[in-house]
Amino acid sequence: MQTDLAAAGPAVHGSIAGARLTIDLGALAANYRALAARSAPAETAAVVKADAYGLGIAHAVPALWSAGCRTFFVAYPAEGLAVRTAAPGARVFVLSGPMNEKAAGIIAGAGLIPVLNTAEDITLWRRAAGGPAALHVDTGMNRLGVSESEAAAFAAENTGDAAIPLTLVMSHLACADDPGHPLNRQQIESFQRVEALFEGIDSSLANSAGIMIGGDFRCTLTRAGIALYGGRAVNAGDNPMLPVVTAEAHILQVRRVPAGGVVGYGAAAKLERDTVVAIAATGYADGYHRSASGAGVPLRGVAAQGACGFLAGKRVPVVGRVSMDLTAFDITDCTKNIVPGDRIELFGANIPLDEVAEAAGTIGYELLTGLGRRYERVYVGGSGG
Ligand SMILES: *Cc1c(COP(=O)(O)O)cnc(C)c1O
């Protein structure tokens, strides 16, 4: 067991933190192997942008490397440098491209591979560095990438001495979380026309949800993100991945509030029964979203089921509004005597990450990447991959 985190700033020791994240690197490695099996015969890359979805590049990347991962994707060059340090032999793609002359020099110097998203990127990279690069082609999402016709023009003109050695052609799916969406078919047809322009070059289309769709979507390289970290990739059905992150908060106070009493800001929760309330050391500054308060914070008129924690074998609902550092839970139904210093699970093996995200009106991706820096971080299961 290892407690620390160089990559996310100063380490926070458990005795002085309000809440703890336990990150199971063994589960991360197992998820990688499961996704690699689904992707085969394609290679599976790990997407480790945003500090490995909040888990910490310095720990996640070596664990993924031990599990057999050799290719990584990041969003920005600075993240690429962190991967280079964590896994010196890795192939690292930078999704946001060369960005500017200075960044292009740094990318080239560190042996990172930029993803060229625009005609300007192509010109810049050729002028500034000219080494290996990937080409991103937009196939209908209208986010990043050159158009199909720009890709065709590039394929025709990228010859001779000034040619950029292209190592990958890629695109990104807009609706893979909804496997029946017609845009998936349209995007793969577009991408197959693109692949034909760049024969013999690696191709990549699938994110986690695309891996779940499988078949032709796999191409020769898949890009797994959220599923590695235990999040749900496809909207419907069971999530087959192991949970990787457990968040637990210290209980600071247990109080008995008679029926008719109120809890928290705005007196938003009015109690209908005599209630035992546990005040836990977590809040929206820890990425435990205020919008997970349920009825206390109406979110765009959507439904108002709040989040639940897990304590002594019971699901216990948030009561009242989540505040910056504190959240109240209704623990009346716990039969075990709960005392300050006990820990309540916010999400993990018992409360799925995506359930809390949904209660907050968001997705597991946003919950993970917004957890913040106040947690004690404990890494387990890290040796031997
Ligand atoms: C973030 C990202 C991924 C990973 O997506 P998941 O849904 O997390 O698997 C893959 N490709 C691109 C271009 C991305 O931006």
Side-chain angles (χ1 to χ4, degrees), residues 53 67 72 158 199 249 275 307 325 365 383:
Y53 288 44
F72 296 82
N158 189 47
E199 248 176 281
T275 302
D325 320 301
Y365 299 71
S383 54

Side-chain angles (χ1 to χ4, degrees), residues 47 49 53 95 143 170 172 207-209 223-226 365:
V47 180
K49 60 197 181 188
Y53 288 44
L95 288 164
R143 200 174 64 169
M170 62 168 278
H172 193 49
N207 59 353
S208 298
R223 306 189 303 273
I226 192 70
Y365 299 71

Side-chain angles (χ1 to χ4, degrees), residues 3-284:
T3 298
D4 124 275
L5 187 62
V12 180
H13 191 271
S15 61
I16 53 172
R20 172 168 74 193
L21 292 180
T22 304
I23 295 156
D24 185 344
L25 298 173
L28 176 67
N31 284 344
Y32 176 79
R33 288 192 211 95
L35 292 163
R38 276 181 191 252
S39 298
E43 178 189 348
T44 302
V47 180
V48 293
K49 60 197 181 188
D51 206 20
Y53 288 44
L55 275 65
I57 277 180
H59 294 270
V61 165
L64 289 162
W65 177 272
S66 298
C69 184
R70 294 292 174 267
T71 301
F72 296 82
F73 284 82
V74 295
Y76 303 118
E79 299 174 326
L81 297 179
V83 175
R84 174 61 67 237
T85 303
R91 181 165 71 139
V92 185
F93 290 99
V94 180
L95 288 164
S96 54
M99 297 182 76
N100 56 65
E101 198 115 359
K102 178 144 197 203
I106 291 170
I107 288 169
L112 311 175
I113 306 172
V115 176
L116 308 177
N117 295 301
T118 63
E120 291 78 7
D121 280 357
I122 293 169
T123 307
L124 168 63
W125 184 246
R126 209 174 250 148
R127 191 181 62 237
L135 183 70
H136 189 166
V137 184
D138 184 77
T139 52
M141 185 181 190
N142 285 307
R143 200 174 64 169
L144 282 177
V146 299
S147 66
E148 250 190 82
S149 60
E150 286 174 307
F154 175 72
E157 63 81 29
N158 189 47
T159 56
D161 286 349
I164 294 172
L166 205 63
T167 61
L168 178 73
V169 59
M170 62 168 278
S171 189
H172 193 49
L173 296 165
C175 300
D177 58 347
D178 176 6
H181 198 289
L183 188 54
N184 293 323
R185 190 45 39 206
Q186 198 180 310
Q187 286 198 267
I188 196 166
E189 283 168 9
S190 167
F191 193 59
Q192 284 168 346
R193 291 190 293 271
V194 171
E195 283 178 299
L197 296 168
F198 299 98
E199 248 176 281
I201 292 174
D202 267 342
S203 62
S204 179
L205 179 61
N207 59 353
S208 298
I211 294 170
M212 305 297 175
I213 300 176
D216 290 346
F217 285 82
R218 294 171 295 183
C219 306
T220 68
L221 180 72
T222 62
R223 306 189 303 273
I226 192 70
L228 286 174
Y229 310 111
R232 192 173 64 197
V234 175
N235 290 336
D238 287 338
N239 178 0
M241 310 317 294
L242 297 173
V244 173
V245 186
T246 301
E248 297 161 293
H250 267 287
I251 291 171
L252 298 172
Q253 186 170 15
V254 177
R255 60 195 314 132
R256 288 163 195 283
V257 187
V262 298
V263 177
Y265 281 124
K270 187 155 198 247
L271 302 177
E272 284 166 7
R273 60 171 179 174
D274 293 350
T275 302
V276 185
V277 176
I279 309 299
T282 191
Y284 56 78

